[in-house]
Amino acid sequence: MESCIAQSAETEEIFPPKREFRAVWIATVDNIDWPSSKNLVPGEQQQEFSALLDFHKKVGMNAVFVQVRAAGDAFYAKSAEPWSEWLTGRQGRQPDPMWDPLDFMVSEAHKRGLEFHAWLNLNRLVHKSSTSVSAENISKIHPEWILSYDGYKLFNFGIPEVRQFITDMTVNVAKNYDVDGIHFDDYFYPYAAPGQVIQDEATFQKYGEGFANKADWRRHNIDLLVKQIHDGLEAVKPRMKFGISPFGVWRNKDRDAEGSKTFGALASYDDLFADSRRWIKEGWIDYIAPQVYFSSGFSRVPYKNLVDWWTENSYERHLYIGMGAYRVGYKDKDKHWSNPLEIPNQVRYFRESETDGAIFFSSRSLRANSLGFVDSLRGNFFRYPSLVPTMPWKDRIAPLSPRSLKATLLLKGIELTWERPEAASDGDRAWYYVIYRFAPEEKPTAHDPRRILGMCYEGEKFIDLTAESGKRYIYYVTAVDRLHNEGRPIGPLKVEVHDQKLVRF
């Protein structure tokens, strides 16, 4: 839409962002963020999760990334892998009473207008902190698929059957659950551990023909996997989002002229065999969320340098900056994290750089509000609502307008009602609605989120609880589809509360 309500071309006022991705990672491995303990009953887990969503919604978030596969396990019922020990206390033990956490979590997120991205760990089968390994764990069923490294059991990506299993496992989530996106983090080949060697020489000998060295072959394996998952998701749900959050540095400039102005740091391409830039360049993923977990003053890897590089290398796909919220206020060699303005300044910078938004790691760190940085999000940067940016390569057709906008005066405020629009030409109906309110002297504009009174995620009804007697208001309502295309408004509806009656003007 963005022009659905007229705006003068001469307008020079800078509005807060109308569209910005604002998300948080909710980690389940080792009970980092949720559930708080592996010994909770389902009712307590549900209560905790709903409270988490309420908190993040109040901070201003519009999406959550929830880890539903932590280590060869599952936080959902329709899975070939065993139930997670961090959910039920022992890997393979089913919840009692039985429930499907993923169905519940998606439903709760959507009720609050939050996108839900299913975050799956790609490489782990057994974690260092695992205390139980089920007979259904793939490491027990297919020990020939496994690399043992630094106390972990990991997938050997060089084996075609492994890549097929991971693809099938991922597509299974897309098929069976109403998630908005599929997400992988930075774990591909493992981060180097002193004295440890990845034991994949035999696999290289078997499958590495045509590759001069093992590093190129490993990168090729990951490329094949990412492309295969992209194709698998495209086949079952072409509008589902697919994205990855790699380590922040693709390559350092001291090693590659096309790399970022970072020096001597670990690099995704060289050290994890993950050619993260290629995935976005080839269009295999819809967004990239590099983990820019560095301060603005860190000399070898300055935050701004990485943001600049990724802005130039996002190839017209979405770029979300991975924010290191967990580092704020910690006793760290990098003293810049003790500055309460570090995160606020980072938010200012990613906005100035015209990225598409950010994802914060992780939920626990936001709830801790170290140095008050979350107060600055809630009260300043995320004070006004923001719609999720559109993905025109997936869907560019806006929904039709709502119909029959009416107002009724209730004791608690003005109730607006409307009728659901017909399906648009692509079959899409309204997924939610945006309600705008203006004073008579204001020029209506769709670009100013300060004029968004609220959003309606269920039904065709909204109550303005802030309407005051004797004042005049002008309302507009727009429909928004699943991929956040906004249609033209219905309105204006001009009303005044007068002598305990509602009158049109």
Side-chain angles (χ1 to χ4, degrees), residues 53 56-57 61-64 109-110 112-116 180:
L53 294 186
H56 292 303
K57 181 72 178 177
M61 299 299 171
N62 54 28
V64 291
H110 287 167
R112 292 162 175 80
L114 295 162
E115 274 200 348
F116 187 101
D180 299 282

Side-chain angles (χ1 to χ4, degrees), residues 403-408 415-419 460-462 493:
R403 298 169 297 171
S404 305
L405 179 60
K406 295 183 175 70
T408 307
E415 181 183 68
L416 302 174
T417 57
W418 56 90
E419 291 178 13
E460 283 71 37
K461 181 170 70 176
F462 182 87
L493 174 61

Side-chain angles (χ1 to χ4, degrees), residues 153-444:
K153 290 200 182 302
L154 308 172
F155 277 123
N156 184 345
F157 297 123
I159 300 172
E161 290 82 3
V162 164
R163 297 193 296 271
Q164 188 60 53
F165 176 85
I166 296 169
T167 302
D168 292 344
M169 179 241 326
T170 306
V171 170
N172 169 62
V173 173
K175 268 185 184 170
N176 285 299
Y177 296 94
D178 193 25
V179 299
D180 299 282
I182 293 288
H183 178 75
F184 295 123
D185 50 33
D186 54 318
Y187 292 104
F188 295 95
Y189 280 91
Y191 284 81
Q196 300 272 325
V197 177
I198 300 172
Q199 302 288 349
D200 60 352
E201 180 61 30
T203 316
F204 178 54
Q205 293 303 324
K206 185 173 181 179
Y207 296 107
E209 189 179 350
F211 290 91
N213 61 70
K214 201 184 283 185
D216 286 343
W217 170 73
R218 286 175 179 165
R219 276 186 287 273
H220 175 67
N221 295 333
I222 301 300
D223 286 346
L224 286 176
L225 178 59
V226 172
K227 173 71 163 60
Q228 192 172 326
I229 291 168
H230 165 269
D231 293 349
L233 294 174
E234 188 82 11
V236 297
K237 281 195 181 168
R239 291 193 184 179
M240 180 173 286
K241 300 176 180 184
F242 174 39
I244 295 175
S245 177
F247 181 76
V249 178
W250 171 69
R251 298 199 86 186
N252 294 286
K253 204 165 193 69
D254 54 4
R255 199 151 178 187
D256 186 327
E258 293 188 13
S260 51
K261 287 181 187 171
T262 54
F263 305 93
L266 183 141
S268 176
Y269 181 97
D270 299 290
D271 300 295
L272 305 176
F273 310 101
D275 190 355
S276 48
R277 184 178 72 161
R278 184 176 185 199
W279 313 328
I280 199 94
K281 190 176 182 179
E282 299 284 352
W284 297 339
I285 54 179
D286 298 301
Y287 66 84
I288 197 153
Q291 295 174 14
V292 190
Y293 297 164
F294 306 94
S295 75
S296 304
F298 185 57
S299 58
R300 287 193 297 136
V301 190
Y303 171 85
K304 292 180 180 179
N305 289 14
L306 263 193
V307 172
D308 291 348
W309 187 87
W310 279 107
T311 303
E312 291 162 11
N313 288 273
S314 54
Y315 298 97
E316 298 184 358
R317 290 292 192 256
H318 284 185
L319 169 61
Y320 311 140
I321 302 302
M323 303 282 282
Y326 70 98
R327 301 192 69 178
V328 175
Y330 272 74
K331 300 285 186 255
D332 197 296
K333 288 179 185 173
D334 182 353
K335 303 299 180 198
H336 297 88
W337 289 109
S338 61
N339 178 2
L341 295 177
E342 181 60 31
I343 288 283
N345 287 338
Q346 289 192 8
V347 173
R348 283 190 189 94
Y349 195 77
F350 79 62
R351 277 189 179 169
E352 288 165 13
S353 304
E354 297 186 357
T355 68
D356 298 289
I359 316 176
F360 292 79
F361 189 85
S362 68
S363 177
R364 179 165 65 176
S365 303
L366 268 69
R367 294 180 84 194
N369 192 20
S370 184
L371 305 182
F373 82 94
V374 176
D375 296 334
S376 69
L377 296 180
R378 184 170 26 215
N380 180 5
F381 298 102
F382 296 174
R383 179 180 172 189
Y384 299 105
S386 188
L387 275 67
V388 169
T390 59
M391 288 186 170
W393 59 93
K394 286 195 169 291
D395 178 16
R396 58 173 69 244
I397 297 171
L400 300 180
S401 305
R403 298 169 297 171
S404 305
L405 179 60
K406 295 183 175 70
T408 307
L409 185 62
L410 306 178
L411 281 174
K412 56 184 176 180
I414 297 173
E415 181 183 68
L416 302 174
T417 57
W418 56 90
E419 291 178 13
R420 192 181 186 202
E422 296 294 324
S425 60
D426 61 353
D428 281 0
R429 306 289 294 261
W431 183 246
Y432 61 99
Y433 302 93
V434 184
I435 297 88
Y436 297 86
R437 188 182 77 182
F438 301 91
E441 65 275 9
E442 289 179 312
K443 187 173 185 66

Side-chain angles (χ1 to χ4, degrees), residues 28-31 38 69-75 82-87 89-92 121 124-134 137 139-140 150-154:
T28 57
V29 64
D30 209 16
N31 300 108
K38 61 172 78 169
R69 180 193 192 270
D73 57 4
F75 282 76
W83 286 101
S84 176
E85 75 166 72
W86 296 297
L87 182 78
R90 190 180 74 232
Q91 191 175 89
N121 176 272
R124 280 195 301 257
L125 286 161
V126 179
H127 192 276
K128 266 184 179 177
S129 66
S130 299
T131 59
S132 57
V133 182
S134 162
N137 189 288
S139 66
K140 298 281 185 76
D150 192 32
Y152 295 91
K153 290 200 182 302
L154 308 172

Side-chain angles (χ1 to χ4, degrees), residues 484-500:
H484 307 282
N485 296 292
E486 186 176 20
R488 297 182 63 80
I490 184 169
L493 174 61
K494 302 179 178 183
V495 298
E496 178 184 354
V497 183
H498 187 68
D499 292 335
Q500 275 116 36

Side-chain angles (χ1 to χ4, degrees), residues 446-481:
H447 297 265
D448 187 355
R450 293 172 299 183
R451 297 296 170 263
I452 294 176
L453 184 61
M455 299 188 199
C456 175
Y457 307 108
E458 293 184 290
E460 283 71 37
K461 181 170 70 176
F462 182 87
I463 300 176
D464 179 359
L465 299 170
T466 61
E468 297 176 32
S469 183
K471 289 201 172 177
R472 294 181 163 193
Y473 300 107
I474 301 174
Y475 296 99
Y476 292 86
V477 178
T478 62
V480 186
D481 67 17

